[in-house]
């Protein structure tokens, strides 16, 4: 995803949030943040306001949902996996890069748990990854860089599994409403665009 | 939208956020909150944590984007309209009810500005409204109440203009990935479901 | 109380604050807040500062004390009633309207507990209600609206029980000190002014 | 006021809050805080919660109102006097001691401004001081220490000017409602009890 | 230490922080704060920002470390001593005065525990005290007042035990780097300067 | 410094803090933070508490002072350089690695300003770098890794310039006081240990 670099890490805790306690099922959650100099112009640290920005919250909720959609929570057992996505360099696509990288970190953590005989099998049903698609004057653009993202009329984020299922579909415009048939075209382009991304995930996992 | 009640109010400020200053264009933004007893079980006030919850932030950003997509910012001029959506009773669909009601408040505020000769015409391009659609075991459900929302495998929020354009499309699952052809079915149902909603908006505006 | 509208709700929790634990007695506490557009000019939300304003705190402490003064805490048992007073429209007298409405909510909650056989009798000793009295150039004004409140030299809030006992008496001036004999006149006017208020409470409770 | 010790300081700023700007009038405001070891049991610092407690806010608002009631704001001019009341040792009566001491600090600051020819005369109309009165089983108690305060059925704080005018009268009970005639008896006792307090203020000012 | 006045208090809690639980050893920790009018120009209260300033944190960590270095934690047992250092008047040297005074408060608290037979002996190994040394154009200055501190090229804080051991040595410059041989001269001057300080501690303890 | 990795970035702002405005001199300041997974055990994000931890504040103040000590503020002009030190992996020595890397970032930024003809010469007087020294049972250890840091009786941080001047010297113990002659031995070892560090800085700068 262009010049974007995101550090993705998975941490295991042997407990679950209060609302899940005693049900024998697990949880996957995510935090997302950007270093102040990940962008061209330095941004201030969220710790200084004591609030997670609306944008960061939206992204980390999206990452968490995307991973939970492919996790077999009963097979994970009463454990929480905490995913950290920290953007080191940002050049557009930080949220889709975070989902894609977070899956790799999650899979690696699960493989380690299997090796340590904590769980019997990796409780992940399919690989999951994400890509953005923009509409700029009726033309579709795959994997927007920052400049394209800024210009596009409509922004889509598409989160899919490796076997073509949709996990999350978000299309938004602040400029011109878009027509219904565009949605199918967006999904088709995203599916094609995700093929090399799933390959890159498989290679990253092979190397471990 | 069932038993849901949301108070929507529009406030005008004769200035715009810093990033728009001097460009002759306006801004529309929204805040969303729920009274502690809007729900069956009392929830605590966001003021006590000093943070707007991730959910509230996501919803108020959605409301703001939806309204901005139908506003002619140049015709509004260097003014900000601040929309407040306060949920008095919650029975599912508070975010779609908020968008639908917020449009009425925004339109009323604009009509008052025209009457006061502050602006020449109402700077809104089409009515905008929203509805939710759920997928529960391959069956589609329109306008989910709280209990249905809880059970659905996939949740969609569809924000459309009165002439059928899409402004925002959000589909998400934490359970089972959904197939691409479902998306077209969801949009079609939403479009039909929004017809009485747009009628209700027109009636509300006629009564003023 | 003029155009003022306050939503009052009572919520029951089967536990008491730490300082009361194990003593077999209950607790009544209140939260008070105003919607941003309850007033003519929009005010900002307290959640954005992360602090409850001094005014809100003062009012919610007053509501809590007023209700506790008429509650038999031993008969309530180790339970907390949390009262929420949310001002929807403000036209003066929001604190006195909150106390008056909060008593109705508390009484209703207690009646429901009796019907559910959780407690044997309603543990409230007398109805309690409140009214404001202003002094404007030696003339007394009952139940100040916003404009009168702004002009009055001295503001009194009088909280009384239906049988004429005083629960709270607050008189304050930032303009001209007032003479001792005024206090008796204020209390007499408040007592007369509260008669229709106590009637309204009884009617509201009959309708449930 | 028993073993209570409060440091009272006045600071001058050559500007007023935004709502007073350009009107040629001044402002007096107060902050109140307690050292963690002012009390028998250490309390935690308000800075750690980032919130001023409801109690502190109520007291500092009371101190501010009491001082403003005797200040000629036009004669003060567009200046703010900030009063700090910091409780070093607490043995009951910290709010009444704060008002009494704050007046001395305010008067001293004004005298210094006169000496420096910033203002022509001290813009204070009368000395102001405060005392507490409690009702314990129909008996009145003057200037409650901590133990008495804890036991009293009803607590009054009476803020008066040296010539007998009332500036603030607060009577509250969480136990038993009190009868109207008690109020006159409370005010009479407070007036007598404040005589030596006003003398102590005069002496403190003479010593400067 | 010039006109500096610091109130130092020790409070005992019969528990230790989580990381020490069950090890049979104690803990000593400190909080440091300044009254807003301790300085010539009023500073604002840390509670208003909800953050302890970097300076306050640095100082309170220094006080805590200095006291822990001379405390026999096993002899103290699973207890925490919380030290409060509140600066009433500041004229330079508030951190060194705080350490010196905090030791007296800690020793007094320990003596009281011995008298109450909670512990067998005072678990303090040596008296500890602190002094500042400045370098101004190659000249050494002992115990800097505010004006000297402001002018010095290099500031040292030296924390020593009564038998000459070093507990903390901090030398910093924002102006000109200093040469290594200066450090020995600074330590020698500090040791001489601390002699009357240790005497003052002994006298303060004798008077109790 | 072992496995420690710190990203150091310099950002330029064409203004200075309020207390320096109009004096023609510049400012250098630093922020320090650690990613949650920089350590073996995940730590929580400072943004969640809304406070910068005492440790982070102490470190970022140290970095800022160290850089300011070698910067010619008049030659920099009314500009602020903001240094960000973000720890990606932590294996002991993160504060000394931050100072050492921050100097490189600062020097690079200054070289860029010279190339852009904003300033005439690099306003830095000497390279500055830092190293830690520990005392463990009278033995000296250079550049402590995490495990050694944990065991050492005394910790020193030594910040020096390339020509041997001292900029900051911090020695602290929570265990056993140390003798004066140790300080000279510590400084000598630090000076030797910094030789390869200054070489590494020169190489890093040559590569740009």
């Amino acid at each position: 995803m262009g010049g974007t670099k995101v550090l993705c890490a998975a941490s295991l805790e042997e407990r679950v949030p209060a609302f899940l306690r005693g049900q024998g099922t697990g949880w996957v959650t995510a935090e997302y943040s950007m270093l102040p100099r990940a962008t061209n112009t330095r941004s201030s640290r969220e710790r200084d306001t004591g609030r997670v920005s609306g944008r960061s919250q939206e992204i980390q909720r999206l990452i968490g949902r995307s991973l939970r959609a492919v996790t077999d929570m009963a097979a994970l057992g009463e454990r929480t996996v905490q995913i950290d996505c920290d953007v080191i360099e940002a050049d557009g696509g930080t949220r889709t890069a975070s989902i894609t990288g977070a899956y790799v970190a999650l899979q690696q953590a699960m493989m380690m748990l299997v090796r340590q005989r904590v769980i019997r099998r990796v409780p992940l049903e399919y690989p999951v990854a994400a890509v953005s698609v923009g509409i700029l004057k009726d033309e579709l653009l795959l994997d927007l860089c920052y400049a394209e993202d800024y210009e596009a009329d409509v922004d889509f984020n598409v989160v899919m599994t490796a076997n073509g299922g949709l996990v999350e579909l978000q299309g938004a415009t602040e400029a011109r409403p878009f027509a219904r048939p565009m949605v199918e075209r967006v999904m088709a382009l995203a599916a094609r665009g995700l093929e090399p991304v799933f390959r890159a995930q498989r290679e990253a996992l092979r190397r471990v």
Side-chain angles (χ1 to χ4, degrees), chain A:
Chain A
M1 277 125 184
T4 294
K5 283 187 197 156
V6 186
L7 289 182
C8 300
S11 306
L12 189 81
E13 272 189 298
E14 287 290 332
R15 56 192 185 112
V16 287
F19 69 93
L20 285 178
R21 232 160 268 162
Q23 300 179 25
T25 61
W27 190 243
V28 178
T29 184
E31 293 192 4
Y32 167 95
S33 190
M34 233 189 229
L35 291 195
R37 275 319 303 252
T39 42
N40 267 334
T41 307
R42 185 180 185 273
S43 53
S44 58
R45 292 174 191 269
E46 288 175 323
R47 74 180 183 193
D48 292 333
T49 59
R51 342 198 131 194
V52 186
S53 75
R55 182 181 172 279
S56 290
Q57 290 215 34
E58 213 168 283
I59 295 175
Q60 65 193 21
R61 284 157 61 91
L62 170 61
I63 301 168
R65 284 195 308 268
S66 299
L67 297 176
R68 288 194 293 274
V70 298
T71 305
D72 177 341
M73 293 302 179
L76 174 56
E78 281 206 28
R79 294 178 180 91
T80 297
V81 184
Q82 165 79 52
I83 301 291
D84 286 290
C85 296
D86 284 276
V87 181
I88 303 302
E89 286 182 46
D91 174 40
T94 64
R95 84 183 65 192
T96 51
S98 293
I99 292 167
T100 303
Y103 175 77
V104 175
L106 177 59
Q107 165 89 12
Q108 286 177 345
M110 293 301 108
M111 284 158 68
M112 187 189 288
L113 288 188
V114 170
R115 277 197 304 274
Q116 297 174 345
R117 296 177 191 266
V118 177
I119 51 179
R120 281 213 215 124
R121 59 171 187 83
V122 168
L124 298 173
E125 283 155 9
Y126 336 80
V128 69
V131 75
S132 64
V133 176
I135 309 181
L136 175 54
K137 295 174 190 157
D138 294 318
E139 208 186 327
L140 297 192
L141 298 168
L142 186 72
D143 185 20
L144 306 173
C145 71
Y146 178 75
E148 290 165 339
D149 182 27
Y150 187 83
E151 284 197 2
D153 297 321
V154 186
D155 278 315
F156 268 85
N157 289 297
V158 186
V159 186
M160 293 182 89
T161 59
N163 63 338
L166 280 155
V167 160
E168 187 110 8
L169 176 68
Q170 297 183 335
T173 177
E174 297 199 18
R176 300 193 310 164
F178 52 99
R180 256 154 65 188
M182 287 307 262
V183 179
E184 179 50 35
R185 286 178 55 199
V186 164
M187 293 188 292
L189 179 58
R192 270 202 316 280
L194 283 169
E195 286 167 21
V197 175
F198 284 115
R199 264 201 305 276
Q201 283 186 332
R202 282 192 301 270
E203 270 163 53
L205 285 163
R206 205 169 300 138
R207 261 175 294 146
V208 183

